[in-house]
Amino acid sequence: MTTTAELLKGAAALFPDEVVTQAHVRHLDLPKGAGRFALITLDNGLDHTKPTTFGPQSLAHLNVAIDQVEKEAADGGIVGVGITGKPFIFAVGADLKGVELLKRHEDALAIGKGGHDVFTRLSGLAVPTFAYYNGAAMGGGVEVGLHCSYRTVSKALPAFSLPEVFLGLVPGWGGCVLLPNLIGPDRAVSVIIENSLNQNKQLKGQQVFDLGIADALFEGADFLEQSLIWTASVLTGETEVARPELDRGAAWDEAVARGKAVADGKVHGAAPAAYRALDIIAAAKNGDRQQGFDAENVALADLIMGGELRSGLYAFHLVQKRAKRPAGAPDKKLARPVTKVGVVGAGLMASQLALLFARRLEVPVVLTDIDQARIDKGVEYVHGEIDKLLLKGRVNQDKANRLKGLVTGHLDKATAFGDADFVIEAVFEEMGVKQQVFAEVEAVVPEHAILATNTSSLSVTEMASKLKNPERVVGFHFFNPVAILPLLEIVRAEKTDDASLATAFAVAKSLKKTAVLVKDAPAFVVNRILTRFMGEIQNVIDEGTPVAVAEKAVEPLGLPMSPLVLLELVGPAIGLHVSETLHGAFPERFTVSPNLKAVVEAGKRGFYVYSAENGFKPELDPEVAALLKQGDAVLTEEQVRDRVLDAVAQEIGLMLDEGVVAEAQDIDLCLITGAGWPFHLGGITPYLDRAGVSERVTGKKFLAPGLASVPA
């Protein structure tokens, strides 16, 4: 039989570049005469910007430390064992770089088994064990603590989670079994399923304690000292820890059912991880730990070898790494300083932009519009939003006053923009209007000032064509709501120079946005793909497929909302305008739906109505149903899905051929950060590759083998 040490040695050979975490053992005498205590500290020797992880060698080091304390406990040399982390970090789980390298199911199984074999030893020692969550704890970092007898948590702890389902895995080192048996299945479902699928929501120290995951909560400043005093009181019997009696009947099944409803709402059955986790939580009702751990091992191995995890990791790298080094961005040394910003327009979009620039750049921001009333309304909106931030405790009174002072409005463009370094327009989406605005602005701004446009679909080159200095015009396309969606499409027009582009990227970084360089092509990236996607849905409805069938057809993509709900959010009039723009550019592929036109002309806000009686679920508006003129070609869900995906794959292939972006990765980054497309799909191209759509339509896959799939 393979020993744990041999198992980990074999796994380590597959992962030579592991950043190894040491497990240092030191001894101390507990207060109150409670006895000699062994404390294990997890530390990879790097500062808090390189969090501690568990790869095979790291698990082996922890295993050796446990060998030592196990002997001391058996010999009566110690009364307890504690485990904690380096400053600011407890441990953030398995080293995913190693997981990506795995090519065989048996190697993936060894990772699950290795973690379980080491961690379960903590619950098998002859003395009580304690986990001290001093800093960030995620995944395996949370789980190693769950194997201990007791846990304390720091009030200063910033992030605590089991994020595995978010990435396409299950908590595989005890989380699915131990957590529901500690705090009850409903709370465990919230942590493992709900928080994870809610954009990997993190818990703070107080919440960890309130949920019952930790038995005691202490201030960050003297956290370890207080934890050790508390430990002594537990060991001497002075403090008794009471755990809740769990309902192992219907309540357990109801919690699992709630978890399934949450998963259905988020991924619509399109990603397996949440459902695998729920199966293990359901089985954990019987309290058989080993059976549960075995199920975790199998689920972990199956998911590691599956496409969703690889797509999830691919998406993670896009957002964490590629987003920080935008492909094609000029040398940042060319960027010019921005000390004042101008915003043309004072409507909702312009006001949102003014707020963002003021908050992130902390420089004066001036709004202009065609009359004083509009300007006043825009400035008032910004000031009102700052007051909301103050009420929520996001800024203090001084900061709120300072931010309000930065945002002003002026009717005269020369006065407003005479000393501005960066002016962005957010006026009506019409070429003549935008050209006129730029001509007026160019006449009054300094020579070095950047002129940016927030256009969603118009040609930036054409917009700049009548200016004396077209080289300083750049597309700067935000997504609504501006405060939430991270993407910023930065458009290089034909004459945009490197200094202007570099300044745009520097501003984007200061705004904390994910900037992607795109070519000046109709509707750029997100709106072009979404319009083709929506257009095909609209086409099949126009041809005769019922609305409900067309909508349900794309559910397996696990999108954040259905196509027609998205249309409602964007606004049918804007959707129609973009489809008309793209129809003008590519009439053979982009259609203008007569039904959508009829909906817009009727002044409808969307296809659906919502009522309290129906739980606010979308129902086809009878007035819209009466407007619809449909053919008699009725397709099945599968036929609709094939048509939609083929259309999207064709469009992506053409965009890559045209050089709209550098690589397919940029298209995925845009869809994830600008349209909320799911992490578990990796955006869209990994899904198209995996489903065989890419090759069917373009004759090849979009991504190289191993990039979002199991390495060959």
Side-chain angles (χ1 to χ4, degrees):
M1 189 176 153
T2 312
T3 65
T4 302
E6 288 166 341
L7 190 72
L8 293 171
K9 196 173 178 185
L14 299 170
F15 184 21
D17 300 324
E18 177 185 348
V19 176
V20 180
T21 297
Q22 304 290 338
H24 306 289
V25 181
R26 62 188 172 108
H27 295 87
L28 46 96
D29 291 317
L30 288 171
K32 305 182 182 182
R36 196 157 172 71
F37 189 75
L39 181 65
I40 300 170
T41 303
L42 304 169
D43 192 346
N44 61 6
L46 302 165
D47 69 16
H48 67 279
T49 62
K50 299 282 188 297
T52 306
T53 53
F54 292 119
Q57 292 180 68
S58 306
L59 287 170
H61 281 293
L62 179 56
N63 201 42
V64 169
I66 295 172
D67 283 341
Q68 179 187 334
V69 297
E70 184 179 58
K71 187 174 185 309
E72 291 168 356
D75 293 346
I78 54 173
V79 294
V81 174
I83 186 164
T84 193
K86 67 182 185 181
F88 309 109
I89 305 288
F90 181 77
V92 298
D95 192 322
L96 294 173
K97 291 194 294 295
V99 169
E100 284 175 78
L101 301 171
L102 299 174
K103 299 178 186 178
R104 301 184 313 159
H105 192 274
E106 55 263 44
D107 295 332
L109 202 59
I111 288 290
K113 195 166 177 341
H116 272 128
D117 287 355
V118 175
F119 290 1
T120 50
R121 295 183 68 197
L122 288 166
S123 55
L125 297 180
V127 294
T129 49
F130 298 79
Y132 306 132
Y133 291 125
N134 64 301
M138 295 172 205
V142 168
E143 289 171 302
V144 70
L146 294 177
H147 284 271
C148 294
S149 322
Y150 304 97
R151 286 153 296 281
T152 66
V153 67
S154 166
K155 270 188 189 173
L157 180 141
F160 182 104
S161 64
L162 288 169
E164 289 83 354
V165 166
F166 175 68
L167 289 169
L169 286 172
V170 298
W173 286 341
C176 291
V177 178
L178 299 175
L179 193 62
N181 278 294
L182 175 68
I183 62 173
D186 197 64
R187 288 176 165 191
V189 161
S190 292
V191 176
I192 295 169
I193 308 296
E194 196 167 15
N195 289 358
S196 209
L197 291 178
N198 191 10
Q199 293 301 311
N200 192 19
K201 182 183 169 191
Q202 300 294 318
L203 298 169
K204 300 273 196 287
Q206 182 72 51
Q207 294 167 300
V208 173
F209 173 68
D210 292 343
L211 282 167
I213 299 171
D215 303 304
L217 175 75
F218 300 113
E219 294 291 346
D222 57 352
F223 171 70
L224 188 57
E225 185 187 343
Q226 292 302 321
S227 291
L228 291 169
I229 293 169
W230 181 84
T231 297
S233 73
V234 170
L235 291 171
T236 57
E238 185 187 321
T239 296
E240 200 173 316
V241 175
R243 298 266 159 75
E245 193 66 42
L246 300 180
D247 182 341
R248 295 185 183 277
W252 200 288
D253 303 331
E254 284 161 17
V256 173
R258 183 177 76 83
K260 186 175 182 306
V262 169
D264 287 345
K266 290 285 186 181
V267 301
H268 308 285
Y275 303 97
R276 293 295 293 267
L278 286 164
D279 288 345
I280 302 166
I281 293 169
K285 176 171 149 176
N286 67 12
D288 187 330
R289 291 174 104 177
Q290 194 51 53
Q291 185 186 31
F293 294 164
D294 292 344
E296 285 181 342
N297 289 340
V298 173
L300 200 62
D302 290 350
L303 292 166
I304 285 173
M305 301 314 291
E308 281 80 7
L309 168 70
R310 305 298 171 145
S311 297
L313 293 174
Y314 163 80
F316 186 74
H317 290 317
L318 290 181
V319 171
Q320 294 296 317
K321 294 180 181 170
R322 192 176 184 92
K324 291 178 174 62
R325 289 188 289 278
D331 187 339
K332 57 186 176 197
K333 293 193 191 83
L334 297 171
R336 294 192 283 262
V338 172
T339 59
K340 183 178 178 181
V341 172
V343 181
V344 186
L348 183 59
M349 190 66 178
S351 304
Q352 287 184 68
L353 295 180
L355 176 66
L356 181 72
F357 278 97
R359 281 193 72 194
R360 298 286 185 231
L361 270 59
E362 296 195 19
V363 299
V365 179
V366 188
L367 292 149
T368 66
D369 212 313
I370 54 172
D371 59 53
Q372 192 62 44
R374 289 176 201 234
I375 294 170
D376 292 345
K377 191 179 175 187
V379 173
E380 202 178 296
Y381 168 85
V382 177
H383 288 189
E385 290 300 303
I386 293 166
D387 284 335
K388 286 180 193 171
L389 293 171
L390 177 63
L391 279 172
K392 289 176 185 168
R394 304 270 293 280
V395 295
N396 60 26
Q397 188 67 61
D398 282 353
K399 182 82 176 274
N401 292 345
R402 201 160 67 250
L403 289 175
K404 282 185 189 178
L406 290 173
V407 181
T408 56
H410 210 287
L411 201 51
D412 178 49
K413 288 189 178 70
T415 307
F417 302 152
D419 55 351
D421 308 301
F422 189 100
V423 178
I424 184 165
E425 69 74 25
V427 299
F428 187 66
E429 194 74 349
E430 206 278 310
M431 183 59 76
V433 175
K434 290 185 185 282
Q435 284 180 329
Q436 185 191 338
V437 161
F438 269 166
E440 290 170 6
V441 171
E442 188 182 45
V444 298
V445 295
E447 281 184 15
H448 68 271
I450 306 297
L451 304 183
T453 169
N454 184 44
T455 182
S456 58
S457 60
L458 299 176
S459 166
V460 181
T461 301
E462 192 183 336
M463 217 176 285
S465 62
K466 297 180 180 177
L467 298 178
K468 290 196 288 288
N469 300 107
E471 68 279 356
R472 55 171 162 173
V473 176
V474 65
F476 214 60
H477 179 219
F478 289 87
F479 289 78
N480 217 347
V482 170
I484 294 169
L485 289 174
L487 180 64
L488 186 50
E489 291 177 334
I490 295 187
V491 188
R492 180 173 211 153
E494 272 175 28
K495 295 192 174 170
T496 308
D497 64 21
D498 282 354
S500 301
L501 202 60
T503 306
F505 273 99
V507 169
K509 189 175 182 185
S510 299
L511 294 173
K512 298 186 178 172
K513 291 294 178 186
T514 297
V516 175
L517 179 63
V518 303
K519 186 180 168 184
D520 187 16
F524 317 125
V525 176
V526 173
N527 284 343
R528 181 162 163 186
I529 291 171
L530 286 184
T531 305
R532 187 76 200 274
F533 173 80
M534 302 281 283
E536 213 51 54
I537 295 275
Q538 207 77 57
N539 288 344
V540 299
I541 292 171
D542 292 353
E543 290 163 20
T545 299
V547 169
V549 174
E551 287 265 85
K552 206 165 180 340
V554 291
E555 269 191 4
L557 286 170
L559 299 175
M561 61 190 76
S562 75
L564 294 182
V565 172
L566 174 64
L567 180 69
E568 203 169 286
L569 187 73
V570 170
I574 293 172
L576 179 65
H577 177 74
V578 177
S579 69
E580 285 170 342
T581 303
L582 281 160
H583 176 68
F586 310 114
E588 68 289 355
R589 298 194 312 280
F590 288 86
T591 53
V592 177
S593 163
N595 281 320
L596 178 58
K597 214 168 188 172
V599 167
V600 173
E601 283 167 2
K604 304 302 291 185
R605 293 182 57 192
F607 276 63
Y608 293 129
V609 286
Y610 302 84
S611 64
E613 302 88 76
N614 192 33
F616 296 102
K617 288 181 183 152
E619 286 180 285
L620 188 60
D621 183 341
E623 290 178 22
V624 170
L627 291 171
L628 294 182
K629 289 186 170 57
Q630 293 181 281
D632 51 13
V634 180
L635 301 183
T636 65
E637 285 178 25
E638 197 176 341
Q639 288 170 323
V640 172
R641 188 159 55 249
D642 284 349
R643 253 186 68 173
V644 171
L645 292 176
D646 284 5
V648 170
Q650 182 194 30
E651 206 57 40
I652 290 170
L654 291 165
M655 288 165 73
L656 292 172
D657 291 345
E658 291 167 25
V660 174
V661 287
E663 292 179 290
Q665 289 96 306
D666 292 314
I667 282 176
D668 292 318
L669 181 58
C670 284
L671 285 173
I672 291 164
T673 56
W677 280 42
F679 243 66
H680 65 261
L681 291 186
I684 185 64
T685 67
Y687 180 87
L688 295 172
D689 282 357
R690 206 163 62 238
V693 180
S694 316
E695 286 176 282
R696 182 169 76 228
V697 174
T698 69
K700 61 184 180 191
K701 290 188 172 179
F702 289 122
L703 300 173
L707 201 58
S709 54
V710 177

